[in-house]
Amino acid sequence: MPKSLSQDEITRIASILPKRDRSDLAKQSLSKEWLSSQIELCQKRMKRDLWIGLPWFLIYSYLLFTEGVNAVSMGVFAVGMVYFVYTIFTTGSYGLNKNRVKVYKQLLEELDRLNELQ
């Protein structure tokens, strides 16, 4: 039977996450499959933020410097802000997802190491 990590070990590794994520992680029974799926999900979210955020920033910057503050540049700004505020409250920011990936990878490595010793 595969061993699992102690609650203290999980708490130590997950200390860089917000309290809500730490408590959700503490309630979760950790498995390789779950951790791998979470890593993949967070990486997809990070990629989505890059594919939307970078073009938005370039378009907004271009409009701001070429046309100044007008209705079009404010519209592009508003669309970007709505997206990022919605994303932060629903799936987390790019930085939070990056930290989640870091924690999940470290937990996966610890789980692998623990099961190799068995």
Side-chain angles (χ1 to χ4, degrees):
M1 182 169 174
K3 291 186 176 182
S4 63
L5 296 169
S6 69
Q7 197 60 37
D8 291 338
E9 187 71 16
I10 294 171
T11 303
R12 183 188 62 78
I13 293 171
S15 65
I16 63 172
L17 296 177
K19 185 178 181 178
R20 185 189 67 181
D21 285 352
R22 287 192 311 262
S23 65
D24 291 345
L25 191 60
K27 295 174 189 173
Q28 182 69 33
S29 64
L30 300 178
S31 67
K32 289 181 182 182
E33 295 80 22
W34 185 81
L35 288 169
S36 298
S37 69
Q38 291 300 308
I39 289 169
E40 185 179 331
L41 179 64
C42 289
Q43 286 175 336
K44 284 181 181 178
R45 290 174 179 168
M46 289 167 57
K47 189 180 288 188
R48 180 195 63 197
D49 282 350
L50 281 177
W51 278 100
I52 293 174
L54 194 58
W56 169 80
F57 177 75
L58 293 173
I59 291 168
Y60 176 66
S61 297
Y62 174 78
L63 287 173
L64 193 60
F65 288 116
T66 59
E67 300 186 23
V69 178
N70 62 13
V72 176
S73 62
M74 287 293 97
V76 170
F77 177 77
V79 167
M81 287 300 102
V82 166
Y83 167 76
F84 285 113
V85 168
Y86 174 77
T87 299
I88 286 170
F89 287 112
T90 57
T91 60
S93 66
Y94 181 90
L96 176 59
N97 284 313
K98 188 175 180 180
N99 284 340
R100 286 175 179 160
V101 167
K102 181 179 176 182
V103 167
Y104 295 148
K105 282 184 178 180
Q106 194 170 1
L107 287 170
L108 189 59
E109 289 171 5
E110 287 294 320
L111 209 59
D112 285 341
R113 185 188 58 78
L114 189 62
N115 288 322
E116 280 178 6
L117 295 176
Q118 181 181 11

